[in-house]
Amino acid sequence: MSIIAKVTRREFMKKSALLGGGLVLACHVPLAGKLAIAGTDATFAPNAFLRIGADESVTIIVNKSEMGQGVYTSLPMLLAEELECDWRRIKVEPSPVSNEYNHTQFGPVMVTGGSTSVRSEWERFSRAGAAAREMLIAAAAESWGIDPSACRAENGYVTGPEGRKESFGKLASMAARLPVPENPPLKGGKKRRLLGKPVHRLDSPAKIDGKAIFGIDVYEPGMLTAVIERPPLFGAKVKSFDSVKTEALPGVRAVVSVQAGVAVLADSFWQAEKGRRALSITWDMRDGEKTSTEKLRGEYAELAGMPGIAARHDGDAPTALTMSDHRIEADYSVPYLAHATMEPLNCFVDLGKDRCLIKTGSQFQTLDRLAAAKELGMEPEQIIMETAFLGGGFGRRACTGHDFVLEAVQVAKAAGKPVKVVRTREDDIRSGYYRPMYCDHVSAALDKNGRPSAWRQTIAGQSIMTGTSMEKAMVREGIDHTSVEGAIDLPYNIPNVLVDLHTTKNNVPVLWWRSVGHSHTAFVVESFMDELAHISGNDPYEYRLSLLANRPRHSEVLKIAAARSGWGKPMPKGRGRGIALHESFGSFVAQVAEVSVDSGGNMKVDRMVAVIDCGKIVNPDTIAAQIESGIIFGLSAALHGEITLVDGRVQEGNFDTYPIVRMDESPVIEVHIAKSDAPPGGVGEPGVPPAAPAVANALFAATGARVRSLPITAEKIRRSISDRNSRA
Amino acid sequence: MITFNLNGRAQTVDIDPETPLLWALRDHLRLTGTKFGCGEGLCGACTVHIDGEARRSCITPLRDAAGKNVRTIEGVPSEHPVKQAWLAEEVSQCGYCQPGQIMSAVSLLEKTRNPTEREIDDAMSGNLCRCGTYGRIKKAVRSVAAETAKGGKKP
Ligand code: FES
Ligand code: FES
């Protein structure tokens, strides 16, 4: 996502100072406020992100969705560091959808994505805490009749000379009457208590007790549960249906036809699901997408062999390639992928006459709400959208088509009942919004020293952003940035570089998938770089390093990864090490994979060593957890993930046909965080891209087999080994 | 009418006895800690104990629970060593799979005090985690086993 508008801190503080009680109440922040949101009843709410109660409670209102990335802990850490409150008293509350919670960089929308939460909120949450601290100090100083500079805040108290001490809770009502400071000072780095230290997640206790409420756990009085029978092809529609058998079943309350298909509403999920199985539907398949992935792969591969629209053009790669007497070429491909969040998509809607309540786990609240408003002919402000915990997001819950929200709105409207629409796993996997499939043709010219003098990567695949509300910002001159990111920013020092793109079209819905374009480009770039190293007789680590002069952060993580992994130490037969490096979302990650492969081509990933430079850090344990998570996510794509279409029908449906990595396949993972004072980078996504190429490169080191299409299956490994043997 | 013991208390449910136990727990008894992930016994999110055995409640008809002891995540106290180990190792990410993971781990450790790596893999590999918390789950299981071996609290 690009920067559309930036709200400055100054504007923010002004805005928060202006927030009157009316507006606050309208968006359901229980702030009892007048001037400067001065609270009544001794509640101190100096801005939209914080409330301090007379009971010493500290409530931090978080405007980012918690989907596992730890944002209900990291953003409170930023605020609490400045506030100097007692960390143990902190409670987190999800924010409502309202302008003061909009993203600081993505324009007027509340959204969680792009690994931006900490980066984009660092300043705002820090200032929010600092402002409150200054006001509490001022309140204490006033009551003691001394100068504020003689007082300080610490662990939930303001202290002053001669043993003066008062708690935040006691000072709250007084502080609430003071003006909000325009420019509260931030603490220096040395005095930090929380930032940079491993802090336990605030959401863990609720999660281990089964008390955390996810969207699927929403139960409201009078609510029905609905499941939707969906068309077998993308774009097909309901022609007619017979629901007589369904409606005769116990618990079934209504059957309605909506855009997504035929919805069965019942008292419980199981009754709805049984009702759905009894439906008989005739589909209008005329506009259905009937393509097959095999056919697409052929078309894409052909396109990738022809010139596309240039996305990066340094020097003259085509000429350098034609002139070269040492040219290397290869074809790569990656499949469609489903996000397969552990919690299947779901959404609760209660539609009233002039209001609508939506409860779900969304990463995309403002735009979902807008789409729902349009659908209902309401103003967005008439729709209250509450954010539950997300049982995984990975981009799927930031849906440019708003599918799981809109379908629930339509069902609620058609049935006139409060309803929770739940997808089965099969619905979830088959209903689209996949990471696009891509084919790449890459070529390089090597000079007499074996260094690349030219590099060309031609990409063919669908655009994620075309046709969405983000097209304007994300598609420029025919180039969707998400199709080429990670390729156009090739870090290696090569004089002639051309990255060109063919944007293909069909009706398979596509969407960002954890690490977006990088999930594709890193595999191609880092695998091919490995090929060049081996062909030129170089060590893949040394080769990369030699091409990274002037790239200190890339070089540093690469060096640490090599050192920590024991790079270069001999390995027994059938085992190998592979290295990969990739920058994404403002962070730099190097990974070394160790694999072992048996004679049947069965590969096991034994160990992954990862190094990240993500600049200034908040919670090192969360960073480690996110990199571990990214690696497993990347390995699922490397080893298993593939959505296949045959005549338009998605072949996969559940975890038997769309497997993800299990514990017994899960490697030992070591994460190292490089020391860095650079501005903060993302951590949710950057762990994903290097995993697949590191494994592919390790496979080559172990066996000489080069698998250029994901997933890397035993069959592909066997084929590659036998191809190699027959050539030898 | 099906009667069983749920987390130490007698419980009667008057619904279709073919209803999967998962949905009886969630939709009818509002114990929502037990999660729906696949509905086909493929992910472990719905794991509960029936007479001490870890079972996938999504493919267990309510009828099979009649007269038995059913234990869900809500029936394992917060102070339980397995839950405490989960906190200490900071296992949870999105958290959706974790009730199922914990129920599988509790069952494993109740039967096998000091499981081998292989036994941990065997007992836990049916529980998927899309957030990839496997390394931490393993550490947490090992730490409980090590505590028990030292003569600490029994799981
Ligand atoms: S929901 Fe029961 S095993 Fe997945
Ligand atoms: S913690 Fe998210 S699925 Fe396991």
Side-chain angles (χ1 to χ4, degrees):
Chain A
M1 289 189 198
S2 69
I3 297 170
I4 300 165
K6 197 174 162 80
V7 180
T8 64
R9 184 200 51 77
R10 200 160 207 284
E11 278 165 344
F12 154 68
M13 293 313 284
K14 243 197 280 172
K15 261 197 223 151
S16 1
L18 286 173
L19 268 180
L23 176 52
V24 168
L25 289 174
C27 60
H28 280 243
V29 185
L31 296 176
K34 303 266 164 2
L35 180 69
I37 325 185
T40 54
D41 298 338
T43 295
F44 173 44
N47 51 58
F49 299 94
L50 175 65
R51 284 199 315 269
I52 297 177
D55 59 354
E56 307 296 338
S57 65
V58 177
T59 306
I60 296 178
I61 296 114
V62 177
N63 58 338
K64 299 292 168 186
S65 308
E66 178 57 73
M67 46 195 181
Q69 83 281 42
V71 78
Y72 277 14
T73 308
S74 52
L75 295 190
M77 283 171 75
L78 286 165
L79 194 151
E81 179 70 60
E82 291 296 332
L83 178 58
E84 298 280 2
C85 59
D86 181 350
W87 177 253
R88 291 164 307 175
R89 295 200 178 271
I90 289 179
K91 287 195 191 70
V92 175
E93 207 175 85
S95 83
V97 188
S98 183
N99 285 338
E100 62 270 38
Y101 299 113
N102 286 346
H103 200 288
T104 59
Q105 296 168 355
F106 290 170
V109 286
M110 183 170 144
V111 46
T112 308
S115 297
T116 58
S117 294
V118 161
R119 298 190 268 165
S120 65
E121 293 294 352
W122 189 298
E123 175 80 10
R124 180 154 70 172
F125 271 75
S126 300
R127 296 281 174 190
R133 179 197 65 222
E134 293 302 301
M135 292 164 80
L136 290 159
I137 288 177
E142 200 185 303
S143 74
W144 296 330
I146 59 172
D147 194 81
S149 64
C151 308
R152 53 198 214 99
E154 199 179 354
N155 206 28
Y157 289 90
V158 177
T159 57
E162 292 147 30
R164 291 184 176 93
K165 190 172 180 184
E166 194 54 277
S167 72
F168 282 9
K170 296 248 164 55
L171 292 167
S173 63
M174 236 185 121
R177 287 193 287 272
L178 300 174
V180 181
E182 268 274 316
N183 194 11
L186 297 183
K187 287 162 67 178
K190 271 183 235 97
K191 289 180 270 173
R192 285 187 177 150
R193 284 170 215 284
L194 290 166
L195 299 191
K197 310 213 165 74
V199 170
H200 279 289
R201 294 175 65 124
L202 294 169
D203 56 351
S204 290
K207 284 178 173 175
I208 58 156
D209 280 339
K211 290 200 179 110
I213 300 296
F214 296 84
I216 204 167
D217 301 327
V218 169
Y219 286 83
E220 294 281 320
M223 176 194 96
L224 298 176
T225 301
V227 293
I228 302 177
E229 177 70 8
R230 295 154 203 275
L233 304 179
F234 296 115
K237 292 180 191 69
V238 179
K239 193 171 181 183
S240 62
F241 66 93
D242 176 352
S243 57
V244 173
K245 279 193 204 136
T246 300
E247 283 174 83
L249 290 171
V252 172
R253 301 289 165 211
V255 179
V256 295
S257 178
V258 292
Q259 231 160 32
V262 179
V264 178
L265 295 85
D267 293 336
S268 67
F269 172 89
W270 185 243
Q271 291 167 325
E273 182 62 14
K274 275 177 80 174
R276 167 199 189 167
R277 289 175 194 174
L279 283 173
S280 131
I281 305 173
T282 313
W283 301 101
D284 175 354
M285 306 284 246
R286 276 171 304 177
D287 294 331
E289 175 59 64
K290 297 180 192 74
T291 195
S292 298
T293 36
E294 203 183 304
K295 181 171 151 269
L296 289 178
R297 197 165 292 120
E299 290 170 9
Y300 287 16
E302 200 174 312
L303 277 175
M306 300 187 293
I309 303 177
R312 171 173 169 183
H313 204 170
D314 302 353
D316 185 356
T319 306
L321 284 162
T322 319
M323 307 289 283
S324 166
D325 44 11
H326 197 180
R327 194 167 80 204
I328 325 288
E329 297 186 49
D331 290 299
Y332 281 85
S333 72
V334 297
Y336 284 118
L337 291 176
H339 301 71
T341 57
M342 213 59 223
E343 178 198 13
L345 294 170
N346 59 77
C347 180
F348 168 81
V349 177
D350 183 2
L351 178 57
K353 232 180 150 165
D354 48 14
R355 58 164 269 298
C356 178
L357 172 65
I358 300 178
K359 294 190 182 191
T360 189
S362 171
Q363 303 173 238
F364 230 31
Q365 291 91 337
T366 306
L367 294 172
D368 284 342
R369 189 175 72 154
L370 198 64
K374 255 198 199 149
E375 179 72 31
L376 295 167
M378 284 184 172
E379 292 301 318
E381 291 71 28
Q382 290 174 278
I383 296 175
I384 298 156
M385 189 148 178
E386 293 183 7
T387 305
F389 277 109
L390 281 63
F394 315 125
R396 185 61 184 84
R397 288 183 156 95
C399 185
T400 51
H402 318 284
D403 63 340
F404 60 97
V405 173
L406 280 184
E407 71 189 24
V409 165
Q410 288 175 357
V411 172
K413 190 177 168 187
K417 299 258 166 58
V419 64
K420 178 173 69 183
V421 177
V422 176
R423 291 193 187 189
T424 62
R425 176 59 55 195
E426 288 80 1
D427 294 335
D428 191 276
I429 286 192
R430 292 198 177 125
S431 56
Y433 290 104
Y434 305 129
R435 196 284 304 275
M437 172 182 156
Y438 295 98
C439 289
D440 295 57
H441 183 75
V442 262
S443 40
L446 298 183
D447 65 18
K448 58 182 189 313
N449 301 316
R451 296 168 63 92
S453 56
W455 170 285
R456 178 175 188 167
Q457 180 174 2
T458 309
I459 299 170
Q462 275 166 273
S463 160
I464 295 172
M465 295 288 100
T466 302
T468 73
S469 57
M470 270 144 289
E471 177 168 350
K472 257 213 182 112
M474 300 295 289
V475 186
R476 299 257 159 84
E477 284 159 32
I479 303 286
D480 178 340
H481 182 75
T482 67
S483 302
V484 295
E485 60 183 358
I488 50 171
D489 34 356
L490 181 79
Y492 301 106
N493 206 339
I494 303 173
N496 302 292
V497 175
L498 174 61
V499 177
D500 51 347
L501 173 71
H502 297 274
T503 299
T504 61
K505 276 208 174 82
N506 65 51
N507 294 321
V508 181
V510 290
L511 189 62
W512 29 47
W513 179 97
R514 194 175 189 179
S515 81
V516 200
H518 300 279
S519 70
H520 143 235
T521 53
F523 170 64
V524 179
V525 168
E526 285 300 294
S527 294
F528 194 58
M529 192 45 78
D530 212 68
E531 296 202 53
L532 300 186
H534 286 288
I535 287 167
S536 61
N538 286 293
D539 174 88
Y541 158 64
E542 303 281 354
Y543 190 69
R544 282 177 174 80
L545 204 57
S546 75
L547 297 169
L548 289 167
N550 311 325
R551 296 282 189 167
R553 296 179 78 187
H554 287 86
S555 303
E556 189 62 15
V557 291
L558 197 64
K559 282 184 197 160
I560 302 174
R564 299 288 184 138
S565 64
W567 184 264
K569 286 206 188 108
M571 296 199 90
K573 201 173 172 302
R575 298 191 61 195
R577 245 183 234 111
I579 196 161
L581 168 70
H582 198 75
E583 176 193 354
S584 60
F585 308 95
S587 293
F588 302 77
V589 178
Q591 291 177 14
V592 174
E594 279 180 30
V595 305
S596 38
V597 188
D598 70 14
S599 54
N602 301 300
M603 175 170 65
K604 169 108 185 17
V605 181
D606 301 311
R607 181 180 176 223
M608 297 287 293
V609 175
V611 182
I612 180 168
D613 169 358
C614 55
K616 285 197 293 182
I617 66 170
V618 175
N619 190 344
D621 191 59
T622 304
I623 295 168
Q626 281 307 294
I627 299 306
E628 293 160 18
S629 171
I631 286 173
I632 299 291
F633 206 84
L635 289 182
S636 285
L639 306 176
H640 302 299
E642 180 161 26
I643 291 290
T644 318
L645 295 157
V646 175
D647 301 328
R649 289 170 200 255
V650 178
Q651 303 299 297
E652 294 74 20
N654 209 319
F655 291 119
D656 48 351
T657 45
Y658 191 79
I660 61 171
V661 163
R662 293 169 181 273
M663 181 182 277
D664 57 4
E665 301 170 286
S666 163
V668 172
I669 301 176
E670 295 161 35
V671 180
H672 304 279
I673 302 169
K675 273 216 160 51
S676 175
D677 288 322
V683 298
E685 294 168 276
V688 178
V695 167
N697 297 341
L699 169 68
F700 182 84
T703 63
R706 177 65 66 184
V707 175
R708 298 190 183 88
S709 75
L710 295 181
I712 305 171
T713 59
E715 195 202 321
K716 286 183 195 168
I717 296 174
R718 281 196 299 270
R719 211 186 309 141
S720 173
I721 291 174
S722 77
D723 283 0
R724 211 176 116 257
N725 291 344
S726 63
R727 271 201 312 274
Chain B
M1 198 104 92
I2 302 284
T3 301
F4 57 100
N5 185 299
L6 177 59
N7 296 328
R9 284 195 196 168
Q11 181 73 57
T12 300
V13 210
D14 189 11
I15 56 169
D16 177 3
E18 295 306 312
T19 305
L21 177 59
L22 168 66
W23 296 107
L25 292 168
R26 290 182 56 84
D27 281 353
H28 300 276
L29 300 168
R30 294 292 156 82
L31 288 184
T32 56
T34 306
K35 301 301 188 204
F36 168 57
C38 71
E40 289 189 7
L42 299 166
C43 78
C46 64
T47 307
V48 299
H49 297 173
I50 301 181
D51 284 349
E53 294 288 327
R55 294 276 293 273
R56 308 296 187 226
S57 64
C58 69
I59 48 168
T60 305
L62 175 62
R63 152 172 62 71
D64 285 11
K68 305 245 170 80
N69 289 307
V70 175
R71 192 186 194 192
T72 68
I73 189 72
E74 292 89 351
V76 178
S78 304
E79 314 73 51
H80 190 284
V82 170
K83 284 191 171 176
Q84 287 303 309
W86 244 247
L87 290 182
E89 297 299 336
E90 201 64 276
V91 174
S92 301
Q93 289 192 24
C94 86
Y96 193 76
C97 72
Q98 299 302 342
Q101 305 278 5
I102 290 170
M103 295 314 284
S104 288
V106 168
S107 158
L108 165 69
L109 290 163
E110 275 172 354
K111 279 191 251 162
T112 316
R113 289 289 174 80
N114 200 2
T116 61
E117 289 297 293
R118 182 65 195 273
E119 284 168 328
I120 299 177
D121 273 354
D122 285 350
M124 301 299 300
S125 287
N127 285 83
L128 299 181
C129 175
R130 188 59 162 150
C131 300
T133 62
Y134 302 122
R136 289 172 186 241
I137 291 173
K138 254 192 183 171
K139 267 197 204 154
V141 170
R142 280 195 217 113
S143 81
V144 177
E147 256 325 287
T148 321
K150 274 196 298 186
K153 278 187 262 168
K154 283 183 211 156

